[in-house]
Amino acid sequence: MKNNRIRNVLKGLSFTSAMFIFQACYGTPQDFGYDRLVEGQVTSETTGLPIKGIKVSVAGDNSYYVTTDDEGKFSFYSEKEENVLIGFEDIDGDENGAFRDLFKTVEDISESVYLEIALKDKL
Amino acid sequence: MISLKKYAFRQFKKIETRAHELNYLFWEFTTRCNLNCIHCGSDCAKDSAFKDMPLNDFLKAIDIIEDKAPNFTVVFTGGEPLLRNDLEQCGTELRRRGFRWSMVSNGQLYSQQRHYSLLNAGMGALTISLDGLEASHNWMRNNKNSFEKVLNAIELAASSMRLNFDVVTCVNQKNIKELGQIKDLLILKNVKAWRLFTIIPIGRAANNPDLQLTNKQFVELMDFIAEQRKTKNIDVKFSCEGYVGKYESLVRDSSFFCRAGINIGSVLIDGSISACPNIDRSFAQGNIYTDNFYEVWQNKFQPFRNRNWTKTGQCKSCREYKDCQGNGFHNWHGNKQNVLVCHHQKIEQGSA
């Protein structure tokens, strides 16, 4: 703790910005952590069973998505922003059952979020 | 009498060295490459004799790291990391363990699909090399299509708000007169950060005069960077490759401090434990296949953390030694009796 204080004082006196983070010569800049893990499981509201093949994406960005696996699970990293709208869309027709799309807003900006999503049957 | 600023920075370096907190780890992920450049920034040799290191071997080495630093970043380097199809899986595993990860790439295989899958896997920073306008870049890459591909990669990377992305350029005889145009091109492509290097005369670069700058040109480069930093439309900086005397505060965000072996480590393709991959391989401090990686990091690395041994050759009587400490560690090769490049001397001679 004491060392950290001295370090920060010396850093300040030498005009090394508090925000300065080094990068190695042939390396990359350091990752500032602007993303977060979004993971979860999609199930059928009627049967409780997992649904495969559901497209999970950040709404408004169609080129960037994952699909749920055999256990209905998904996982990806997205921008760490408030009020991100995550879409759950049945894009494979009747192949794994027919379900209504659902959009869920993630309000906080925590490092990771786990979503349990139950989709209604398509009428 | 030295300024308070200089004195404080020297003390700051001492504290950082004593603490030697590992927070930046290169993983030489593969030595395979899809290009055969005239110069290579990683190890200046094209050698694909080594098999790619399996993910589990690397994980076993780093899983024993205690008290991991915040923002600890693993940097995938090569060779060309995109040649490995398990890159995303490796990245995901690292994120799961609390590491961040990034990559240095030539951009040739950086398609839109790959861009999204890398972001999905938690890539947080990226560096792509662009070594000139079309003719000079393609000359350096030994490939007539590489410019088009790398521009496509740069556009994709720059479109992401979450990536800490920069472009690096090795300045040489073919591109030094193009720097202004390259800057304009990068701004047009929405690039926010641009880092400029020179090439140290090792490997394939040792006997190619087109790759080296004269002392006068080096001063021109310093002046160019200093001038560009006054405008705020792109963050231009000189790399951390060496101490640049009177230009220190003009060309970078912070004074020169070679952090190799102090905060920067590496796991090289054969399992060697070292610092930046371009450092002479004889400086390896151990091997992940025979040693405990974290113990090596904690207890070895003496030549990196006490650089008094570099007070030899022209450094022995240099007035700038306390601030330079032998220049970038990668400038010590072969018999290590003299520094390979003295940037400060280049400036003194080039300014005369």
Side-chain angles (χ1 to χ4, degrees):
Chain A
M1 184 68 99
K2 188 183 166 199
N3 267 354
N4 264 349
R5 260 204 314 271
I6 296 170
R7 178 180 175 270
N8 286 335
V9 168
L10 291 169
K11 208 173 177 183
L13 287 173
S14 60
F15 298 100
T16 300
S17 156
M19 291 304 289
F20 171 73
I21 295 182
F22 72 92
Q23 58 196 113
C25 297
Y26 287 93
T28 67
Q30 281 198 318
D31 173 5
F32 289 124
Y34 293 153
D35 65 2
R36 62 139 156 240
L37 178 64
V38 179
E39 59 182 344
Q41 188 181 31
V42 180
T43 55
S44 159
E45 190 180 272
T46 310
T47 66
L49 293 172
I51 312 169
K52 182 187 174 186
I54 298 295
K55 173 184 168 185
V56 186
S57 64
V58 175
D61 191 351
N62 281 328
S63 50
Y64 173 42
Y65 66 90
V66 293
T67 50
T68 54
D69 64 15
D70 289 344
E71 294 175 351
K73 290 188 173 166
F74 63 91
S75 149
F76 65 95
Y77 286 85
S78 81
E79 270 83 5
K80 199 196 288 177
E81 291 170 347
E82 282 179 342
N83 298 318
V84 171
L85 193 62
I86 309 285
F88 298 86
E89 299 167 80
D90 185 352
I91 54 168
D92 61 3
D94 292 337
E95 195 177 326
N96 295 294
F99 299 92
R100 286 158 64 178
D101 297 344
L102 185 146
F103 292 88
K104 167 125 185 126
T105 302
V106 178
E107 289 170 356
D108 63 34
I109 50 163
S110 51
E111 287 295 314
S112 66
V113 59
Y114 191 90
L115 303 172
E116 287 179 354
I117 302 295
L119 295 184
K120 292 182 190 299
D121 291 343
K122 204 172 251 177
L123 298 174
Chain B
M1 194 170 142
I2 63 161
S3 67
L4 176 65
K5 180 185 169 184
K6 264 193 180 178
Y7 175 78
F9 195 67
R10 285 178 192 171
Q11 299 308 311
F12 169 69
K13 285 197 291 186
K14 278 183 191 165
I15 287 182
E16 288 285 278
T17 306
R18 212 173 299 138
H20 57 81
E21 178 187 70
L22 177 64
N23 56 23
Y24 196 99
L25 181 66
F26 283 102
W27 179 13
E28 197 172 47
F29 192 52
T30 177
T31 46
R32 291 181 292 129
C33 190
N34 49 353
L35 287 171
N36 182 23
C37 300
I38 287 174
H39 157 71
C40 177
S42 50
D43 67 354
C44 290
K46 186 176 170 62
D47 183 357
S48 55
F50 292 101
K51 283 187 178 167
D52 298 347
M53 182 183 290
L55 170 62
N56 281 339
D57 293 4
F58 182 72
L59 292 178
K60 263 186 216 163
I62 63 166
D63 275 346
I64 52 176
I65 294 174
E66 297 162 16
D67 300 327
K68 199 157 60 270
N71 287 332
F72 189 124
T73 301
V74 173
V75 183
F76 291 84
T77 184
E80 173 51 42
L82 290 173
L83 284 171
R84 273 182 71 163
N85 293 328
D86 64 345
L87 174 58
E88 286 84 348
Q89 185 201 342
C90 295
T92 303
E93 280 303 321
L94 288 172
R95 289 298 299 264
R96 194 165 291 157
R97 286 165 156 77
F99 295 96
R100 300 196 169 276
W101 70 274
S102 63
M103 173 181 72
V104 181
S105 171
N106 62 33
Q108 299 300 292
L109 296 172
Y110 200 89
S111 62
Q112 186 168 62
Q113 191 184 3
R114 204 78 202 261
H115 173 64
Y116 287 126
S117 67
L118 291 164
L119 290 176
N120 269 346
M123 178 173 71
L126 171 68
T127 292
I128 292 178
S129 319
L130 173 75
D131 284 334
L133 298 176
E134 186 160 6
S136 46
H137 178 84
N138 287 345
W139 167 77
M140 179 74 101
R141 293 284 172 275
N142 246 334
N143 183 307
K144 64 180 170 45
N145 300 316
S146 67
F147 182 76
E148 194 186 329
K149 287 182 182 167
V150 80
L151 272 197
N152 185 48
I154 286 169
E155 271 181 26
L156 281 168
S159 70
S160 169
M161 297 301 287
R162 74 168 101 151
L163 264 184
N164 194 3
F165 166 60
D166 75 352
V167 168
V168 295
T169 298
C170 288
V171 184
N172 59 70
Q173 291 291 336
K174 302 267 187 188
N175 64 17
I176 187 158
K177 297 293 179 202
E178 298 175 345
L179 296 179
Q181 289 167 277
I182 298 170
K183 188 194 90 166
D184 292 342
L185 176 67
L186 294 178
I187 292 170
L188 194 69
K189 299 293 176 192
N190 207 25
V191 174
K192 304 285 185 243
W194 183 30
R195 222 168 353 136
L196 296 155
F197 289 84
T198 62
I199 299 169
I200 60 165
I202 55 171
R204 295 201 283 281
N207 299 312
N208 190 335
D210 280 339
L211 295 177
Q212 306 303 323
L213 297 183
T214 65
N215 295 340
K216 259 196 166 21
Q217 287 172 323
F218 187 72
V219 173
E220 267 177 52
L221 173 63
M222 292 296 103
D223 287 335
F224 171 81
I225 297 172
E227 193 56 33
Q228 301 312 313
R229 284 174 68 81
K230 291 177 189 163
T231 66
K232 302 290 180 196
N233 41 15
I234 183 168
D235 175 21
V236 185
K237 59 168 80 81
F238 186 53
S239 79
C240 65
E241 68 185 65
Y243 174 74
V244 290
K246 64 183 180 186
Y247 285 98
E248 275 297 311
S249 61
L250 304 175
V251 297
R252 278 194 287 250
D253 297 336
S254 173
S255 299
F256 175 68
F257 181 13
C258 175
R259 293 178 186 258
I262 294 166
N263 305 103
I264 303 168
S266 68
V267 173
L268 302 174
I269 192 73
D270 62 351
S272 296
I273 301 165
S274 187
C276 306
N278 58 338
I279 284 171
D280 192 305
R281 305 256 156 158
S282 66
F283 283 109
Q285 299 294 300
N287 191 297
I288 61 162
Y289 293 110
T290 51
D291 302 304
N292 176 313
F293 173 79
Y294 195 60
E295 274 178 22
V296 170
W297 175 261
Q298 289 293 70
N299 302 321
K300 295 189 88 175
F301 281 90
Q302 286 83 1
F304 295 83
R305 294 168 192 168
N306 180 350
R307 303 207 180 173
N308 285 340
W309 62 270
T310 62
K311 241 181 168 179
T312 182
Q314 69 193 88
C315 296
K316 196 172 181 178
S317 55
C318 181
R319 283 178 291 117
E320 305 284 326
Y321 185 82
K322 279 189 176 167
D323 297 311
C324 173
Q325 293 184 297
N327 218 9
F329 206 97
H330 61 275
N331 280 292
W332 292 87
H333 278 258
N335 65 9
K336 304 169 185 83
Q337 289 306 300
N338 198 14
V339 66
L340 206 54
V341 175
C342 172
H343 297 79
H344 178 250
Q345 185 185 51
K346 281 177 94 69
I347 290 166
E348 298 253 294
Q349 292 177 353
S351 305

